[in-house]
Amino acid sequence: MGTIILGTGAYLPERVLTNQELEKIVDTSDEWIRTRTGISTRHIGGKGDETYQLAAKAAANALQMAGLSAVDIDLIIVATISSHMLMPSCACFVQKELGAGKAFAFDINAACSGFVYALDMADKYILADPGKKILVIGTETLSSRTNWEDRNTCVIFGDGAGAVVLGHGEGEGGIIGANLFSDGNLWALLHMHTAPSCNPELLQAASPGVHIVMEGREVFKYAVKAMEEAILKLLEQEQIPLDAIKLIIPHQANIRILNKLAERLGVSAEKIFINVQKYGNTSAASIPIALDEANRASRLEPGDIVLLCSFGGGFTWGAVLIRW
Ligand code: COA
């Protein structure tokens, strides 16, 4: 009994950018990108692919699976770091796009951990009011926040959206628990500025621009350790052994991070869902896209225990356990 996933959905823009195309943009190679990151392609938005539009399409797919319509939704939480406007929220644009007139809507920013944070928040709303139906969406157009001259970052990120519809269930299934963490001291290792300040007193002398800046090596080390700790703490908190987990669906940052995580946990690579090769790192969208893919590929059966884990700018990280 608890918060259950009634439907999942995803949407990726049509345009696919290959490593070979990136070779023409920056000094890189398909071989370097594949061996260092595991990424072969990523989807890049075009006209009609604003962050909220990807989100609305992913949400429509999730609603269809749930057998609900937009007017049934009470709350829309969108996790994103790449909305086309700072105000209104991306979630308000999604509400308008879907025609979800009954819902209140807001965004959260926890970078690549945004979906996991939003899922935990939605779980708490439903525990407080089991009648609520909630859309939780992770959506990004990181192509609009990428420095296309920086080979350290532009090969890594992609665009896309994933969504879940949540409600209350009386059966065995549902969200079991979550564990979330942040450490703002480490902000500089992975960050993105906003537009330059209009207040001269607050204007930073050397604004690096509105794009992602990353210390890759440092991020790598923290990501593996943080996700491992979050997983082990959550399993201990919920008294569930690691071998009871059917599938781990992690944030799709990088194949080497995921392989290292599997190695440190001592689980086989098949237990970790991986699709980073197709989509790159889609930040808050990566977990719901992967969850939808696993769900539609029938990798999840009723009763299976699924573990979601994330790591991102902030730093933010965390894990959520779900009984399917
Ligand atoms: N193509 C070719 N060479 C590249 C390159 C690219 N796209 N990007 C960086 N390089 C070069 C660097 O300039 C450096 O060259 P130098 O030795 O001449 O200075 C060399 O490759 C090694 O760079 P380094 O950053 O040490 O490589 P790495 O092995 O750490 O791999 C990452 C770089 C980014 C792939 C890796 O650090 C990583 O995956 N980090 C985590 C990133 C991440 O997942 N972020 C999101 C978390 S939510």
Side-chain angles (χ1 to χ4, degrees):
M1 201 172 77
T3 302
I4 57 168
I5 294 179
L6 300 167
T8 62
Y11 183 79
L12 280 305
E14 268 175 37
R15 161 114 165 83
V16 173
L17 180 69
T18 64
N19 290 348
Q20 288 76 11
E21 288 173 275
L22 276 168
E23 287 175 357
K24 295 178 192 142
I25 300 173
V26 286
D27 180 14
T28 190
S29 68
D30 171 52
E31 201 263 337
W32 192 97
I33 302 170
R34 274 189 296 102
T35 52
R36 302 295 177 109
T37 70
I39 301 165
S40 294
T41 55
R42 69 288 291 144
H43 290 241
I44 300 290
K47 277 205 176 6
D49 289 328
E50 290 288 7
T51 311
Y52 74 92
Q53 291 169 314
L54 303 184
K57 286 178 180 156
N61 289 336
L63 283 167
Q64 191 183 37
M65 187 187 283
L68 293 173
S69 63
V71 292
D72 299 318
I73 296 299
D74 300 286
L75 165 61
I76 301 171
I77 308 178
V78 171
T80 187
I81 52 166
S82 54
S83 189
H84 71 304
M85 285 194 195
L86 268 180
M87 181 190 70
S89 67
C90 185
C92 283
F93 280 100
V94 173
Q95 185 224 26
K96 172 178 103 54
E97 193 82 352
L98 290 173
K102 191 171 82 174
F104 68 106
F106 60 87
D107 291 356
I108 70 154
N109 174 349
C112 303
S113 299
F115 181 77
V116 159
Y117 272 49
L119 197 59
D120 180 54
M121 195 187 294
D123 177 34
K124 271 132 198 173
Y125 270 105
I126 289 174
L127 289 179
D129 179 0
K132 276 199 163 34
K133 299 280 183 294
I134 303 182
L135 257 173
V136 176
I137 307 170
T139 182
E140 306 286 7
T141 48
L142 293 177
S143 59
S144 64
R145 300 284 178 267
T146 297
N147 177 358
W148 289 99
E149 293 175 356
D150 176 14
R151 67 177 182 173
N152 289 293
T153 52
C154 76
V155 303
I156 287 173
F157 300 103
D159 301 345
V164 295
V165 182
L166 301 175
H168 178 79
E170 293 291 340
E172 291 284 297
I175 294 179
I176 299 168
N179 231 334
L180 307 176
F181 306 87
S182 308
D183 187 351
N185 292 308
L186 301 169
W187 72 269
L189 298 176
L190 183 54
H191 65 276
M192 180 166 66
H193 284 250
T194 55
S197 175
C198 303
N199 175 348
E201 296 294 323
L202 299 176
L203 188 61
Q204 294 186 23
S207 174
V210 188
H211 49 241
I212 299 163
V213 179
M214 181 176 76
E215 296 285 341
R217 282 227 160 155
E218 288 302 306
V219 173
F220 192 108
K221 277 191 286 183
Y222 279 103
V224 175
K225 194 164 164 286
M227 283 199 284
E228 182 195 15
E229 281 176 13
I231 290 171
L232 295 178
K233 272 190 188 154
L234 181 57
L235 291 174
E236 193 188 340
Q237 174 186 303
E238 302 300 335
Q239 293 289 294
I240 290 177
L242 186 57
D243 58 14
I245 307 297
K246 170 77 181 299
L247 194 61
I248 298 176
I249 302 185
H251 167 49
Q252 306 287 313
N254 178 310
I255 195 104
R256 283 161 59 226
I257 290 179
L258 302 183
N259 288 342
K260 197 96 194 146
L261 181 66
E263 184 190 312
R264 285 177 68 143
L265 288 172
V267 301
S268 67
E270 298 81 67
K271 236 187 196 179
I272 303 212
F273 189 86
I274 293 175
N275 63 9
V276 70
Q277 68 282 4
K278 295 189 285 186
Y279 309 131
N281 179 342
T282 57
S283 191
S286 92
I287 291 178
I289 291 171
L291 184 63
D292 182 56
E293 216 167 279
N295 188 20
R296 286 176 197 264
S298 304
R299 299 269 309 261
L300 305 168
E301 302 288 336
D304 284 348
I305 299 181
V306 190
L307 194 150
L308 313 181
C309 65
S310 69
F311 180 84
F315 286 160
T316 56
W317 66 100
V320 177
L321 267 172
I322 304 167
R323 193 183 309 277
W324 205 250

